[in-house]
Amino acid sequence: MTKKISNLLKSANAQKNFKIMKLVALFLTIGMSISYAGNSYSQVTTLNLKLKNKTVREVFNEIEKNSEYVFLYNRETLDPERVVSINAKKETISDVLDKLFEGTDNTYKVSDRQIYISKAERQQQTVIIAEPEQQQKKQITGIVTDTEDIPIIGANIIEIGTTNGTITDIDGRFVLSVENEAILRITYIGYLEQEVSVKDKLTLSIILQEDISALDELIVVGYGVQKRSDITGSVQRVDAANFSTQLTTNMLEMLNGTVAGFSSNQGTGASGGGSMEIRGTTSIAADSNPLIVLDGVIYNGSIGDINPNDIESIDILKDASSAAIFGARSASGVLIVTTKRGSTSKPKINFSLKIGAVGVTNEIKPLNPQQYVQSRADFYNISNLDKPDYYYSDPYNLPGGLTLEEWKNFDSIPSDDPVEMWLNRLGMNNIEINNYKNGKTVNWYDLVMRNGVRQDYNVNVSGGSQSLRYFWSLDYTDNKGIIMGDDYRNVRSRVNLDSDITNFLNVGVNVQFADRNQSSQNANLNWAITASPYGNIFEEDEKTFTFYPHGDQLYLNPLLYYSLRDKLDVTQSLFTTLYGEVKFPYDISYKVSFTNRYSWQKNYHFDPITTPIGFAAQGYGRRIDESVYEWQIDNVLTWTKSIAEIHHINATFLLNAEKYQSWNSIQENSQFSPSGVLSFHALQAGISPSLSNNDQYSTGNALMSRLNYSLKDKYLFTGTWRRDGYSAFGQKNPHAEFQSAALGWRMSEESFFNINWIDQLKLRVSWGTNGNRAIGRYQALARLATTQYLYGTTLATGVYTNTMANSDLRWERTEALNFGIDFGLFKNIYGSVEYYDMTTRDLLLNRSLPRIIGYSRVMANLGELGNKGFELSINSKNIDKENLKWNSTLTFSLNRNKIKHLYGEMVDIVDDNGNIIGQKEADDIANEWFIGQALDRIWDYEILGVWQLDETEQAAVYGKRPGDMKLRDVNNDGVLNPTDDKVFQGYKTPKYRLGLRNDWTVFKNFTISAFIRTDLGFYGINNLYLNGEKNNIYERANRLYTEYWMPDNPTNKYGRLNSEVQTPKFNYWENRSFVRLQDLSVAYNIPQNKLKKYQIQNLRIYMSFRNLLTLTKWKHYDPESQTDMMPKNSSIGIDLTF
Amino acid sequence: MKKKYKFFLLSVIAVMIFSCEEGWFSPKPLSIFAPENVYVDKAGLDAVLLTCRRGLRDEFYGGPSVFTNELMSSECCISGSKGVTATHNFRIQVTPNGTGQSDFFKHWDNAYVQIRNANVIISRIDAPDWNSEQDKNEILAEAYFHRAYWYYRLVNQFGDVPFLNREYTEPKTTFYTHSRKTILTKIQDDMEFAVLWLPNIVDPGKVNRAAGNHLLTKIYLANSQFDKAISSASAVIESGVHSLMKQRFGKYASDGKYNVIWDLHQKENKSSAENKEGILIVQDKYGFPDAQAGNGTDAIRNYSGCWWNTQFLRDPEGKSACTDKSGDWQIVKLGRGNGYARPTNYTSYEIWADCGADLRHDTTVNWMPMEKLLINNPSSNYYGEPVEKKYNNTIDTIQSWFPWPYYKFYIEDEQRPLQPWGGHSDWYVFRLAETYLLRAEAYWWKGDLIAAASDINEVRARTLAPPVNPSNVTIEYILDERVRELYGEEPRKTELTRIAFIMANNSFNGYSTDNFHKKNYWFDRIDEKNNFYNFGIMYGTNEYKIDPYHVLWPIPQDVIDNNMGGFINQNIGYFGSENNISPKEEITESD
């Protein structure tokens, strides 16, 4: 029902023929609150009317006012200004309408409370342009429906190349005489245009696809919905249907790079996910994650517990004005997630299955056995210069002229086993020597890596009657990442119920349950890299895992904990919202919702004595139990009023309260006796117990009001005010207020606006302040920590002040100005341009203190941070033919960040002669925050290249040797110190982000979509170039393969093995810019006619790929995940609807 | 209809919540103590003292222990690590921005954190309702002790530093440096008060009056007040509480194989009631996971060699001589050392020349000479025979080949019994033998060589070492004796720097405070005795190198940077010192 109405709304807006703006407001406000008690309304309801010399429109208004009837009509079919008089007493609607239309060509149809007015059937033929009948002509009858089989009323049908055409009636039917070979074009606003050939056909059944990205969709704006055309802020919608063919474990995977101004990097583990940030970093120390609002209520749970298959849409509120209604927590933007709900259609079961293989975008492997031996020889060669060149050469592959005897005689007492002598010279230990001699090698890398598998099974059932609508889903995700033991399972279920109790009260419940399991322990990739290829997996018994595969205690067996640690890590969460909505007289409605979130986590593990930790502790077990309970109540009062069709007012008031509680217990024990066989199930079996509790508590509340006002549908205004309270700031500043205002002008609606190729043009400007409170609950307090000590053998507990108090701590505030233009061009391009300028003040930050005070940091409100940016989104319909459709979406964004102020401490500016020539604000060098620079600015020594042999003396000035990195000594004083010699070089986050999505539909049933993502102009640390690993790794362990400097390979890019990188410390910054084909999917819809006989409504099969192709100069694993491996997924799936 | 009421009720509740906002917003720290409810009585302030006492412990434990920094900044040791971060080249690696693997700034942080804790007590001493002046002053006296203990260390490690006279409850970035002399005067005053109130007899781990007098003796010496030093040292020696252990005692008393020096350093005996020699002993015992020190002393790691490393020591054929195979007899007996503090020839050999029957160098049970190290690599053809130095690269012996006092540093390892690193044990901070040596030093400064020799011989007689003739007592001899007796217990750099300052302050032997960073006794002694620094020896990535100005460690640059409103001086020789201003010569209540 809702669907049908919204279709009508779309039509109304575009064609300006309907008069039902009032209806729009009504429906937007009360949503589905009109109740349908049955079909008998029109039979039992009677009307009393006495009107004289009124227009038909006024009569309709009167009827609507006194009943629940709603009139729907097209101005072409009805003259609303016709003056009539009517007198009815206790008459049914049919009687009244019969009188009203007597003598006209209008007819009507009453469908429950809706009345459709159209022209009588016979009149329709008058639409056909009178032309002499010709023999080729034939009469076509047809029906136009949407994908849900609901007739579309008023769709235009035109015979291409002629002026011949008609529109559909209230049943979606039409009749038209056309040429034999004619092609019909069917158009309807809000739907994609379609062309149909009538060749060999007399009847047509046309299904129009909804144009889901149109300007007139309903956008969820928080505590209500708005038509896109009425929105004054910067809001971006992501339609989950676009991602239905992708194997998404976490909804963030839909958002990686796809929305302008929303930056998100992909996660690399089996749990998927990723990072998120809207419009740059607005905070230094506080959390910069956007607020998530799930079905109208603030969601503090794990994003991983929201099943992406349940999501209908995600609306991203980017500017201050639209986010301001969430005041205290909205400074980093808001993500509004709307899940699917039931409709009154017949029950539908949808089943989908997706299975994918997971690989890696780019692999770097450890040295293979040959490289390993060579690298050790090279290392010793350049380290032990007192030995001759050939001392470390393979005795059976000696360079020219040298005999084995000569080679052996370099040692005082040569043995008769040159291989053993050689390996001893290379510092190999017994295990390695034995395995080398036996030709036994281990490929540790292959042992810890695997082909990952992702699986997702989802079923949902939806449907409902007029008084109860339901949606229920159940999803099982089972992911195995690319590293052994990186497993993730999640069972997620959701029930959304909406019920109309009476025509003024409806209630509902949303329940989300998730059972997340991450019980397995990863194999350790780092240890797989360091373990020697000549090491042992097992001890001599071939079943006990070695602790140290090649006997070096610094390098553990990568399989140890993966194989031996007993682990349980399960989190169950329940998120429920109960709501009720009451419609009061005078267009007032009131909604109350009560939200609960529970979460229970068990994180247990046990290390048996067969592991190093367990061995040292004679068994070590730990249990962490944490439960969280929080609730919030939202009271929302809405008043909607239209005055004289010109003024439309929507006022919203919110009263909210929340409370958070969590309980955390940690139990540890060791020295298990008689054994640790009971694992973490019996920690009492140990004799060295340790306890720790951490319970937390916080409260908050909010008052909010919002006014939306639109004048003549052209001039739009939104204003909000919000007051928040939060206990973390409770000592001196419990409250904060946030305001916003926004204006919109739909320029294209003006009568003077007559640029044909511009369909829509709206200018927006908004201003507002938002808050951030994301700090620890007790950050404002001086906290004492406890500690224990012994006096002899008597245990005692002491305390110390752990943090400095700051009772003045208050909200961080971001003030933002946003300019936006929404446009629609040439009927097939629409998009928006945004410019914003944000300033964050009272930054919550851990300011550095001189450590002598006993604290190195204190949480404080200081400084000022600016973010400016530009965003562009363009959607275009490039080709729209029956057999080929091509749509593109382009997003572009840039953000520029700048630290404007920090602590306000002034320091002198001194010229070269030591004279004070002025003052400037002091930087925070310890944190590398500089006034006037971006937060992500890189400040480091500049690498000029590598010191070469002929530069030995210059290098020695800096304590360096040939093969070490040459750093720039800016002031040429022969000493490298940060204040003088570190320089600004580039940025850590992308300067430009681009996304391009293309969707093709070929032969109606094939769809292909491709998403290309580009992040440009940023740098990351890739210290592989330096060959400066710690712990003498070059003579003790293996490592990732890299090229290295040698006297006979004097590269200027790579350091020598074990190059000096500690004094001073520096990093190799490498460009991370990349272009990546992030998503590619191909789907095939099995044609409807083949499915009908199996009772299948819809069947789709598809393949999709993620991270198929990446172009970059970045030489470590992946430019996005830097020094972690990035998964590369290929999946297939099937989607079945009964 | 029922639901309707429920919602109505909920909204009423919501409104009610708003009407009682005051209580609604008070932060409730459920699991966290706050100053307001803890620092209000004796128990609360005493709980802070526990943290201070525990804080005395940290530097001795873990590997590399922070304490080894004191040794490698002296004539006694170098950093034996081969790692790229190991602190070898002071000129390049010891800078205001970092000091390499051996993090000298941990001393700075440890000290200032404990100063903060002591200041909490000092500033809040009047908060409780005290039962008696005695109660109050006992607590205050120990707080003064801790503050003085750390400032005594700081002024000898870093020179002029800011003195914090109170607890800071709000951010401050306007600190200034106080002169070393000002600080020493202040802590002398504080300790003169403290020794009046500290109790005579306390539980192990707490601070008694003798500990107070012992510290005061060091402060008097630093202030060149030698007579007062003699009397405060005498107060300890004559207290009746403490005496040198001259007879066998404790766990091994009946085992004739061992001797009193062995007994004195066994973990079971350090805090035992029988032991009268320990004055201040930090506590660490296995089996108290929240009270024990991390993984223990790691004393084997810190003070013995990496002989087991297959890359270092060789048998005659060039094969690895030794192994650290778990449970191997030699690894269990010697432990898996790592030479973080690698002794110099001075420490290993020179001071033991002509040592006679000195128990501290008794090679049957107490001292581990390298000749006792055997080849334990099963695949060697020389298995069980002694390892010989001549088959090895000299450079490889840095970390792997040196003798060590087994009786002090071999500590049975409960957590790693098959490859011991040095387990949990108490550790001496102050021991009466040092009090004797401090008094001897004071006598020496006064020129009373007979009294000095007498005190030294008290210590030597106990270890069966031949007595020293008064005419042979020099400051060098006293320093040698301190190494023989107190290696691994005394903060060597602190004491050596203290002596260097005494000489400079008294224009002794041509030393002066004017060019202290260029010429000082600390450097001259290193130059003479340390056979690694400044000989061009390269080990791992860096050469062993040290300069006179390293007599004072650098002030951490971030402390200077973060103190934007004030000014903290850098020590001369390090970059940034050119901007120094005169240090403050006065300590006020508000500092």
Side-chain angles (χ1 to χ4, degrees), chain B residues 535-548:
Chain B
F535 284 92
I537 299 168
M538 170 85 81
Y539 186 53
T541 322
N542 285 295
E543 183 185 339
Y544 290 103
K545 215 173 212 175
I546 205 161
D547 292 316

Side-chain angles (χ1 to χ4, degrees), chain A residues 609-680:
Chain A
I609 56 166
T610 47
T611 62
I613 293 172
F615 181 77
Q618 291 301 295
Y620 168 79
R622 187 181 71 182
R623 291 168 74 104
I624 303 176
D625 289 280
E626 180 167 274
S627 57
V628 176
Y629 171 55
E630 63 177 329
W631 59 253
Q632 51 178 315
I633 295 172
D634 290 305
N635 296 279
V636 184
L637 199 67
T638 311
W639 176 63
T640 310
K641 183 79 183 168
S642 289
I643 301 165
E645 304 286 314
I646 294 171
H647 309 279
H648 302 290
I649 298 165
N650 178 314
T652 307
F653 304 92
L654 166 80
L655 192 64
N656 157 288
E658 62 173 306
K659 181 168 170 177
Y660 171 95
Q661 288 160 280
S662 70
W663 300 267
N664 176 294
S665 309
I666 302 175
Q667 312 168 39
E668 289 172 285
N669 211 339
S670 57
Q671 293 179 276
F672 284 77
S673 166
S675 82
V677 70
L678 297 178
S679 184
F680 53 69

Side-chain angles (χ1 to χ4, degrees), chain A residues 376 380 387 412-413 415 420 424 427 429-430 504-505 507 551 553 578-580 590 592 594 615-616 631 633 635 655-659 671 688-691 693-697 699-702 723 725-727 730-731 734-735 778 781-784 786-793 795-801 804-805 847-855 858 903 905 922-926 957-959 961 977-979 1029-1030 1032 1035-1036 1058 1060 1062-1063, chain B residues 3-4 6-7 10-11 14-15 17-18 21 24-35 38-39 44 47-48 50-51 53-54 57 82-85 92-93 97 105 108-109 112-113 116-117 120 162 164 167-173 175 203-206 281-291 310-311 314 316-320 324 336 377-379 382 391 393 414-415 417-419 421 538 540-542 556-559 561-565 568 575:
Chain A
R376 283 181 87 123
Y380 281 107
K387 301 290 185 207
S412 44
I413 304 181
S415 95
E420 176 141 355
N424 274 314
N429 49 42
N430 291 344
F504 61 85
L505 171 69
V507 299
Q553 288 204 3
L578 304 165
Y579 75 85
Y590 166 67
V592 55
F594 180 52
F615 181 77
W631 59 253
I633 295 172
N635 296 279
L655 192 64
N656 157 288
E658 62 173 306
K659 181 168 170 177
Q671 293 179 276
S688 211
S690 163
L691 288 179
N693 300 140
N694 180 14
D695 296 349
Q696 300 208 3
Y697 175 100
T699 47
N701 70 2
R723 175 175 180 266
Y726 188 43
S727 63
Q731 290 165 301
H735 292 108
Y778 304 119
L781 306 177
R783 284 162 282 161
L784 306 193
T786 59
T787 184
Q788 292 196 340
Y789 195 48
L790 285 168
Y791 299 127
T793 50
L795 200 58
T797 299
V799 296
Y800 57 95
T801 317
M804 196 174 249
R847 73 168 293 181
S848 304
L849 292 174
R851 282 182 274 160
I852 53 175
I853 204 166
Y855 315 93
V858 63
Y903 313 145
E905 304 270 11
D923 302 319
D924 182 340
I925 296 168
V957 172
Y958 303 98
R961 286 193 283 164
N977 77 61
T979 346
E1029 300 276 342
K1030 284 191 190 177
N1032 303 343
E1035 55 182 318
R1036 296 177 73 171
N1058 205 29
E1060 208 293 310
Q1062 295 297 326
T1063 49
Chain B
K3 273 189 179 166
K4 211 169 128 187
K6 193 173 168 186
F7 287 122
L10 287 175
S11 36
V15 171
I17 284 163
F18 275 81
E21 271 193 357
W24 180 245
F25 283 122
S26 64
K28 286 188 190 163
L30 299 174
S31 301
I32 304 167
F33 289 112
V38 172
Y39 298 152
V48 183
L50 179 141
T51 308
R53 292 163 188 152
R54 186 182 155 128
R57 180 178 73 181
K82 196 180 182 183
V84 284
T85 54
I92 301 272
Q93 294 178 283
N97 286 291
F105 298 155
W108 177 280
D109 291 342
Y112 274 108
V113 165
R116 176 198 74 196
N117 291 334
V120 165
L164 278 73
E167 181 194 6
Y168 285 88
T169 53
E170 56 207 36
K172 177 176 168 171
T173 56
F175 291 98
D203 298 329
K206 295 183 181 173
I281 308 148
V282 287
Q283 305 288 304
D284 176 39
K285 292 174 186 76
Y286 184 59
F288 300 89
D290 293 325
T310 52
Q311 303 198 20
R314 299 286 158 191
E317 289 180 351
K319 283 188 189 175
S320 298
D324 62 344
R336 198 172 176 278
N377 177 3
S379 63
Y382 300 83
Y391 297 116
N393 277 332
E414 305 86 344
Q415 287 174 257
L418 304 180
Q419 286 174 316
W421 286 24
M538 170 85 81
T541 322
N542 285 295
Q557 186 66 37
D558 65 301
V559 174
D561 289 342
N562 290 328
N563 184 53
M564 297 146 188
I568 295 174
F575 69 80

Side-chain angles (χ1 to χ4, degrees), chain A residues 92-120:
Chain A
T92 66
I93 189 72
S94 306
D95 297 337
V96 175
L97 294 178
D98 284 343
K99 279 184 190 167
L100 194 64
F101 295 136
E102 203 179 346
T104 72
D105 57 3
N106 285 112
T107 179
Y108 65 88
K109 184 171 175 180
V110 180
S111 172
D112 188 46
R113 288 158 177 78
Q114 295 170 44
I115 299 157
Y116 302 94
I117 317 288
S118 60
K119 291 201 173 186

Side-chain angles (χ1 to χ4, degrees), chain B residues 59-61 64-72 107 153 303 427 486 488-492:
Chain B
E59 63 178 319
F60 300 103
Y61 294 74
S65 72
V66 179
F67 198 71
T68 57
N69 300 340
E70 288 268 0
L71 289 161
M72 70 183 66
H107 296 272
R153 295 289 297 280
Y303 299 106
W427 206 264
L486 300 168
E489 296 174 60
E490 64 158 338
R492 186 68 175 182

